[in-house]
Amino acid sequence: MKLAILSRNSKLYSTQRLVEAARVRGHTVRVLDPLRCYMRIEPGAFSMHYKGREMSDYDAVIPRIGASVTFYGTAVLRQLEMMGVYTPNASDAILRARDKLRCHQLLAREGIGLPRTVFGDNPDDTADLLAMLGRPPHVIKLNEGTQGAGVILAERASASQSVIEAFRGLYANFLVQEFIAEAKGADVRCFVVGGRVVAAMRRQARRGEFRSNLHRGGTAKAVELDADETETAIRAARVLGLNVAGVDLLRSRRGPLVLEVNSSPGLEGIEGATGEDVAGAVVDYIDGRVRRARRIARRAL
Ligand SMILES: Nc1ncnc2c1ncn2[C@@H]1O[C@H](COP(=O)(O)OP(=O)(O)OP(=O)(O)O)[C@@H](O)[C@H]1O
Ligand SMILES: [Mg+2]
């Protein structure tokens, strides 16, 4: 197949591994910077150019769209979808996953476990908002935060109040969660491809830290999931409509709780910790879908 990878940086580990996995399997692959893709929107005449050349004949695209280019990146992806190019993660699914509040609402509606979460807008409501959450400790999270930055543990309600006031002063969006103490500074990243968990790792925070992010000094090891965890990860990806997803879970007394579903999960940490060929699993899944679509199209002739 002819495969495009939408990525701002062809030198990133994840991008390079996907290119390598595709080439090893005999596919043609190109890395395209989404910000250099431009398009014509016209009934029956969608067109996309890349650095002066028409983009045609792509069978599939792997979107690796960073948070900072979500809007333009998903517009490029949507154009490719309309031109009949297969993507494991549709533009709408990526947008769903990027919106943390929406993501939590959709998962909770399906009965998928989450840390209890509250959010609100007006400072006059903060005390009642925290009462809706329950007793501290609380975890306060900036919506735009990533890699553990902007995730704060408040041991007392007065601390929660001050942090929330400070965030509000900066016009930052945030949500507040119950603190899952029994997770003991660890979370589990499940890499889901096509409704299967292809690799899983447990990230443990360093001593004195509750955030397990590798960027905050956490360490990662391969982990065996139990049936409940496997099912939760698969369901969370399915609810958001993602065929490639990184689902982060906390192990709690009441079972696995979803922290986040990532639509462009990195490959370096998970391949390093587990030794699995995750890039290969992604490419093989896409290849299977493209072949299936071709078979169906042939039969319809
Ligand atoms: N409610 C919670 N209870 C206990 N620990 C938590 C809770 N929320 C987050 N943590 C810990 O803090 C870490 C960082 O939180 P989280 O993953 O939500 O934010 P992030 O990594 O900055 O953002 P994102 O994963 O959305 O890019 C988690 O990996 C987990 O170890
Ligand atoms: Mg995280």
mmCIF file of all heavy atoms in Angstrom, residues 16 23 41 53 88 104-105 119 128 150 161 177 194 198 203-204 233 240 257 269:
data_model
loop_
_atom_site.group_PDB
_atom_site.id
_atom_site.type_symbol
_atom_site.label_atom_id
_atom_site.label_comp_id
_atom_site.label_asym_id
_atom_site.label_seq_id
_atom_site.Cartn_x
_atom_site.Cartn_y
_atom_site.Cartn_z
ATOM 1 N N GLN A 16 9.820 7.653 12.845
ATOM 2 C CA GLN A 16 10.848 6.813 12.219
ATOM 3 C C GLN A 16 10.502 5.336 12.296
ATOM 4 O O GLN A 16 10.703 4.585 11.342
ATOM 5 C CB GLN A 16 12.198 7.057 12.886
ATOM 6 C CG GLN A 16 12.784 8.387 12.478
ATOM 7 C CD GLN A 16 14.265 8.489 12.801
ATOM 8 O OE1 GLN A 16 14.797 7.711 13.607
ATOM 9 N NE2 GLN A 16 14.936 9.443 12.191
ATOM 10 N N ARG A 23 8.303 0.140 5.580
ATOM 11 C CA ARG A 23 9.284 -0.232 4.536
ATOM 12 C C ARG A 23 9.635 -1.709 4.622
ATOM 13 O O ARG A 23 9.693 -2.397 3.603
ATOM 14 C CB ARG A 23 10.558 0.613 4.669
ATOM 15 C CG ARG A 23 10.294 2.085 4.405
ATOM 16 C CD ARG A 23 11.370 2.755 3.542
ATOM 17 N NE ARG A 23 10.849 4.027 3.063
ATOM 18 C CZ ARG A 23 11.250 5.240 3.513
ATOM 19 N NH1 ARG A 23 12.226 5.312 4.397
ATOM 20 N NH2 ARG A 23 10.692 6.332 3.035
ATOM 21 N N ILE A 41 -11.409 22.818 -1.664
ATOM 22 C CA ILE A 41 -12.688 22.234 -1.284
ATOM 23 C C ILE A 41 -13.688 22.633 -2.354
ATOM 24 O O ILE A 41 -13.956 23.826 -2.541
ATOM 25 C CB ILE A 41 -13.126 22.749 0.110
ATOM 26 C CG1 ILE A 41 -12.014 22.476 1.143
ATOM 27 C CG2 ILE A 41 -14.427 22.091 0.543
ATOM 28 C CD1 ILE A 41 -12.246 23.153 2.481
ATOM 29 N N ARG A 53 3.099 19.810 -5.154
ATOM 30 C CA ARG A 53 2.721 18.622 -5.939
ATOM 31 C C ARG A 53 1.371 18.076 -5.494
ATOM 32 O O ARG A 53 1.045 18.102 -4.309
ATOM 33 C CB ARG A 53 3.782 17.510 -5.776
ATOM 34 C CG ARG A 53 5.192 17.973 -6.098
ATOM 35 C CD ARG A 53 5.787 17.325 -7.342
ATOM 36 N NE ARG A 53 5.640 15.889 -7.440
ATOM 37 C CZ ARG A 53 6.634 15.031 -7.214
ATOM 38 N NH1 ARG A 53 7.814 15.459 -6.801
ATOM 39 N NH2 ARG A 53 6.436 13.743 -7.398
ATOM 40 N N PRO A 88 -6.839 5.078 10.529
ATOM 41 C CA PRO A 88 -7.321 4.312 11.684
ATOM 42 C C PRO A 88 -8.016 5.215 12.702
ATOM 43 O O PRO A 88 -8.951 4.777 13.368
ATOM 44 C CB PRO A 88 -6.043 3.697 12.267
ATOM 45 C CG PRO A 88 -4.925 4.539 11.752
ATOM 46 C CD PRO A 88 -5.370 5.072 10.423
ATOM 47 N N HIS A 104 -14.113 12.626 29.128
ATOM 48 C CA HIS A 104 -14.577 12.086 30.411
ATOM 49 C C HIS A 104 -16.087 11.852 30.395
ATOM 50 O O HIS A 104 -16.580 10.847 30.906
ATOM 51 C CB HIS A 104 -14.233 13.052 31.556
ATOM 52 C CG HIS A 104 -12.797 13.002 31.970
ATOM 53 N ND1 HIS A 104 -11.774 13.457 31.173
ATOM 54 C CD2 HIS A 104 -12.214 12.550 33.102
ATOM 55 C CE1 HIS A 104 -10.624 13.283 31.810
ATOM 56 N NE2 HIS A 104 -10.853 12.729 32.976
ATOM 57 N N GLN A 105 -16.828 12.787 29.810
ATOM 58 C CA GLN A 105 -18.293 12.637 29.772
ATOM 59 C C GLN A 105 -18.692 11.400 28.967
ATOM 60 O O GLN A 105 -19.560 10.624 29.383
ATOM 61 C CB GLN A 105 -18.930 13.894 29.156
ATOM 62 C CG GLN A 105 -18.868 15.094 30.084
ATOM 63 C CD GLN A 105 -19.208 16.414 29.372
ATOM 64 O OE1 GLN A 105 -18.898 16.592 28.191
ATOM 65 N NE2 GLN A 105 -19.836 17.332 30.078
ATOM 66 N N PHE A 119 -15.794 20.058 37.212
ATOM 67 C CA PHE A 119 -15.263 21.303 36.651
ATOM 68 C C PHE A 119 -16.342 22.356 36.684
ATOM 69 O O PHE A 119 -17.534 22.037 36.735
ATOM 70 C CB PHE A 119 -14.722 21.099 35.232
ATOM 71 C CG PHE A 119 -15.758 20.756 34.193
ATOM 72 C CD1 PHE A 119 -16.284 21.749 33.367
ATOM 73 C CD2 PHE A 119 -16.196 19.456 34.030
ATOM 74 C CE1 PHE A 119 -17.231 21.429 32.393
ATOM 75 C CE2 PHE A 119 -17.140 19.129 33.064
ATOM 76 C CZ PHE A 119 -17.662 20.122 32.249
ATOM 77 N N ASP A 128 -18.792 24.960 46.525
ATOM 78 C CA ASP A 128 -19.789 23.911 46.274
ATOM 79 C C ASP A 128 -19.273 22.882 45.270
ATOM 80 O O ASP A 128 -19.565 21.686 45.369
ATOM 81 C CB ASP A 128 -21.104 24.532 45.772
ATOM 82 C CG ASP A 128 -22.233 23.510 45.794
ATOM 83 O OD1 ASP A 128 -22.321 22.759 46.797
ATOM 84 O OD2 ASP A 128 -22.989 23.435 44.814
ATOM 85 N N GLY A 150 1.388 20.877 35.252
ATOM 86 C CA GLY A 150 0.019 21.348 35.441
ATOM 87 C C GLY A 150 -0.873 20.322 36.111
ATOM 88 O O GLY A 150 -2.086 20.407 36.026
ATOM 89 N N GLN A 161 -8.599 25.347 46.911
ATOM 90 C CA GLN A 161 -9.171 26.682 46.669
ATOM 91 C C GLN A 161 -8.117 27.632 46.096
ATOM 92 O O GLN A 161 -8.368 28.311 45.098
ATOM 93 C CB GLN A 161 -9.676 27.291 47.999
ATOM 94 C CG GLN A 161 -10.965 26.689 48.507
ATOM 95 C CD GLN A 161 -12.200 27.464 48.040
ATOM 96 O OE1 GLN A 161 -12.097 28.360 47.229
ATOM 97 N NE2 GLN A 161 -13.366 27.086 48.546
ATOM 98 N N GLN A 177 -10.076 16.323 40.353
ATOM 99 C CA GLN A 177 -10.417 14.901 40.539
ATOM 100 C C GLN A 177 -10.148 14.454 41.964
ATOM 101 O O GLN A 177 -9.323 15.037 42.663
ATOM 102 C CB GLN A 177 -9.560 14.023 39.615
ATOM 103 C CG GLN A 177 -9.868 14.191 38.164
ATOM 104 C CD GLN A 177 -9.107 13.196 37.295
ATOM 105 O OE1 GLN A 177 -7.989 12.809 37.630
ATOM 106 N NE2 GLN A 177 -9.718 12.794 36.189
ATOM 107 N N GLY A 194 -6.694 -1.581 16.853
ATOM 108 C CA GLY A 194 -7.775 -2.362 16.255
ATOM 109 C C GLY A 194 -8.503 -3.249 17.255
ATOM 110 O O GLY A 194 -8.769 -4.420 16.977
ATOM 111 N N VAL A 198 -1.953 -4.370 22.290
ATOM 112 C CA VAL A 198 -0.762 -5.002 21.712
ATOM 113 C C VAL A 198 0.458 -4.880 22.622
ATOM 114 O O VAL A 198 1.439 -5.604 22.453
ATOM 115 C CB VAL A 198 -0.436 -4.457 20.297
ATOM 116 C CG1 VAL A 198 -1.576 -4.742 19.326
ATOM 117 C CG2 VAL A 198 -0.131 -2.966 20.330
ATOM 118 N N ARG A 203 4.030 2.512 34.595
ATOM 119 C CA ARG A 203 4.964 3.606 34.866
ATOM 120 C C ARG A 203 4.891 3.934 36.349
ATOM 121 O O ARG A 203 3.805 4.121 36.899
ATOM 122 C CB ARG A 203 4.591 4.838 34.045
ATOM 123 C CG ARG A 203 4.769 4.611 32.551
ATOM 124 C CD ARG A 203 4.328 5.813 31.745
ATOM 125 N NE ARG A 203 2.895 6.041 31.857
ATOM 126 C CZ ARG A 203 2.147 6.601 30.900
ATOM 127 N NH1 ARG A 203 2.704 7.003 29.775
ATOM 128 N NH2 ARG A 203 0.861 6.775 31.067
ATOM 129 N N GLN A 204 6.043 3.957 36.980
ATOM 130 C CA GLN A 204 6.096 4.212 38.426
ATOM 131 C C GLN A 204 6.794 5.534 38.673
ATOM 132 O O GLN A 204 7.889 5.759 38.157
ATOM 133 C CB GLN A 204 6.854 3.064 39.112
ATOM 134 C CG GLN A 204 7.064 3.243 40.607
ATOM 135 C CD GLN A 204 5.746 3.162 41.385
ATOM 136 O OE1 GLN A 204 5.011 2.185 41.286
ATOM 137 N NE2 GLN A 204 5.446 4.219 42.157
ATOM 138 N N ALA A 233 -9.548 -0.870 28.680
ATOM 139 C CA ALA A 233 -8.732 -0.163 27.682
ATOM 140 C C ALA A 233 -9.373 -0.265 26.297
ATOM 141 O O ALA A 233 -9.484 0.729 25.574
ATOM 142 C CB ALA A 233 -7.316 -0.750 27.665
ATOM 143 N N LEU A 240 -14.399 6.238 22.057
ATOM 144 C CA LEU A 240 -13.935 7.462 21.393
ATOM 145 C C LEU A 240 -13.777 7.261 19.889
ATOM 146 O O LEU A 240 -13.527 8.213 19.159
ATOM 147 C CB LEU A 240 -12.629 7.931 22.025
ATOM 148 C CG LEU A 240 -12.787 8.326 23.499
ATOM 149 C CD1 LEU A 240 -11.456 8.699 24.102
ATOM 150 C CD2 LEU A 240 -13.774 9.470 23.661
ATOM 151 N N LEU A 257 -9.334 2.651 36.473
ATOM 152 C CA LEU A 257 -9.942 3.958 36.219
ATOM 153 C C LEU A 257 -9.175 4.633 35.085
ATOM 154 O O LEU A 257 -7.946 4.717 35.130
ATOM 155 C CB LEU A 257 -9.876 4.831 37.474
ATOM 156 C CG LEU A 257 -10.492 4.242 38.748
ATOM 157 C CD1 LEU A 257 -10.309 5.208 39.919
ATOM 158 C CD2 LEU A 257 -11.976 3.922 38.540
ATOM 159 N N GLY A 269 8.592 4.903 24.506
ATOM 160 C CA GLY A 269 8.486 4.358 25.856
ATOM 161 C C GLY A 269 7.959 2.929 25.845
ATOM 162 O O GLY A 269 8.519 2.031 26.477
#
